[in-house]
C-alpha cells in the first residue's frame, strides 16, 4: 500500500515586536494569537501548531513551549512546527523572531507660562523647555520626542509642531507629547501640558495728588 497524507503549508511568519510595559525586559507572549496567521485559512481541525525554543526540538517534535511564554532575552527566535494532527510525521516548519523593545515613560511636565506684552493672548514658546521633566531619569539619546496639537496626532505620529511654537488658541492651549523609543517608534507613551499666556497690566498715567 502507498498512502499520501495531507501536509500543511507554512508561509513566511512575521516577526513579533512588543513594547516593554514595565521596563523589566520581559513580556508574556500568547502564541495562540499567531495561529490565525500561521494557519492562513488551512483546516484547523486537520493540523496543529507547536512552538519550540530550538531547531533541534522543532525537528524532533520534543519539548514544545507553552502557549503562554515569557521571553528570557530581549530577542529570541521561536521555531514553529505545523503538523497533521493524526499523522504528525507530516509536518512543515517555520520561525519568527520575538523582540521586547525598551519601554518608555512620558512624565507630565510643568505648564509653560509667559506674560503677554500686548495682551493679544498669543506668544511664542520653546516647547523643548519641557524635555528634561518629560524624560526624567531616562536616556535622552534613546528617545524621540515630538509635540502635537491633538492627542490623535500624537497617537498617530502626525503633524508634529515646531519646537519654537506660537499658540494657536488664545491664552491657553493643551500640547500633546509623544515619547517614542528611538529605534522602535511603535513603542511609545504620551503625555500633555498647557501653554498659558497671561495678560500683563498696562501702566497708566496717574495724575499728581497735592494735599495740604
Amino acid at each position: 500500500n502507498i498512502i499520501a497524507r495531507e501536509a500543511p503549508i507554512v508561509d513566511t511568519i512575521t516577526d513579533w515586536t512588543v513594547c516593554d510595559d514595565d521596563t523589566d525586559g520581559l513580556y508574556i507572549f500568547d502564541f495562540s494569537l499567531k495561529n490565525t496567521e500561521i494557519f492562513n485559512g488551512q483546516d484547523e481541525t486537520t493540523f496543529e501548531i507547536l512552538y519550540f525554543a530550538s531547531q533541534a526540538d522543532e525537528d524532533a517534535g520534543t519539548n514544545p513551549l507553552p502557549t503562554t511564554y515569557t521571553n528570557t532575552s530581549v530577542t529570541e527566535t521561536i521555531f514553529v512546527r505545523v503538523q497533521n494532527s493524526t499523522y504528525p510525521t507530516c509536518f512543515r516548519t517555520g520561525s519568527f523572531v520575538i523582540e521586547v523593545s525598551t519601554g518608555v515613560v512620558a512624565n507630565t511636565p510643568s505648564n509653560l507660562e509667559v506674560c503677554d506684552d500686548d495682551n493679544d493672548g498669543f506668544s511664542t514658546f520653546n516647547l523643548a523647555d519641557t524635555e528634561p521633566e518629560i524624560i526624567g531619569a531616562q536616556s535622552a539619546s534613546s528617545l524621540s520626542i515630538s509635540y502635537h496639537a491633538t492627542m490623535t496626532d500624537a497617537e498617530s505620529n502626525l503633524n508634529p509642531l515646531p519646537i519654537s511654537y506660537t499658540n494657536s488658541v488664545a491664552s491657553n492651549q493643551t500640547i500633546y507629547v509623544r515619547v517614542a523609543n528611538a529605534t522602535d517608534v511603535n513603542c511609545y507613551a504620551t503625555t500633555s501640558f498647557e501653554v498659558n499666556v497671561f495678560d500683563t497690566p498696562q501702566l497708566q498715567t496717574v495724575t499728581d495728588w497735592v494735599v495740604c
Side-chain angles (χ1 to χ4, degrees):
N1 297 318
I2 56 173
I3 303 173
R5 305 297 187 191
E6 187 175 0
I9 296 172
V10 179
D11 295 321
T12 301
I13 305 169
T14 58
D15 295 334
W16 190 355
T17 301
V18 298
C19 193
D20 186 2
D21 50 11
D22 56 8
T23 66
D24 66 351
L26 303 177
Y27 189 87
I28 300 175
F29 291 86
D30 181 359
F31 288 150
S32 67
L33 299 177
K34 273 288 187 182
N35 287 357
T36 299
E37 176 190 351
I38 297 171
F39 278 126
N40 194 23
Q42 298 177 90
D43 187 353
E44 298 184 21
T45 62
T46 300
F47 303 111
E48 62 179 337
I49 300 174
L50 299 175
Y51 299 89
F52 300 88
S54 70
Q55 181 74 59
D57 283 348
E58 175 193 63
D59 291 339
T62 57
N63 304 314
L65 297 174
T67 301
T68 302
Y69 174 73
T70 301
N71 62 301
T72 57
S73 61
V74 172
T75 303
E76 294 181 30
T77 299
I78 302 299
F79 299 88
V80 180
R81 176 185 173 115
V82 185
Q83 62 187 27
N84 188 304
S85 301
T86 307
Y87 306 99
T89 54
C90 292
F91 68 91
R92 296 287 185 273
T93 62
S95 66
F96 63 95
V97 174
I98 59 173
E99 180 180 3
V100 181
S101 291
T102 302
V104 299
V105 176
N107 299 299
T108 301
S110 303
N111 296 331
L112 296 181
E113 300 176 344
V114 298
C115 293
D116 191 358
D117 292 336
D118 56 10
N119 291 345
D120 66 349
F122 297 93
S123 186
T124 299
F125 296 84
N126 180 8
L127 301 181
D129 287 343
T130 62
E131 286 192 8
E133 288 185 272
I134 293 171
I135 293 172
Q138 302 170 96
S139 171
S141 61
S142 68
L143 301 175
S144 173
I145 299 178
S146 57
Y147 300 89
H148 305 264
T150 67
M151 180 58 82
T152 299
D153 282 351
E155 293 281 357
S156 304
N157 198 21
L158 297 173
N159 306 313
L161 300 175
I163 296 301
S164 181
Y165 176 69
T166 300
N167 54 303
S168 60
V169 179
S171 301
N172 172 272
Q173 183 179 353
T174 300
I175 304 297
Y176 299 91
V177 188
R178 177 188 175 99
V179 184
N181 184 310
T183 58
D184 180 7
V185 295
N186 293 315
C187 189
Y188 70 93
T190 59
T191 187
S192 66
F193 63 94
E194 294 184 352
V195 291
N196 295 314
V197 182
F198 296 115
D199 285 347
T200 301
Q202 303 299 311
L203 196 60
Q204 306 298 318
T205 301
V206 182
T207 57
D208 295 338
W209 187 4
V210 180
V211 297
C212 291

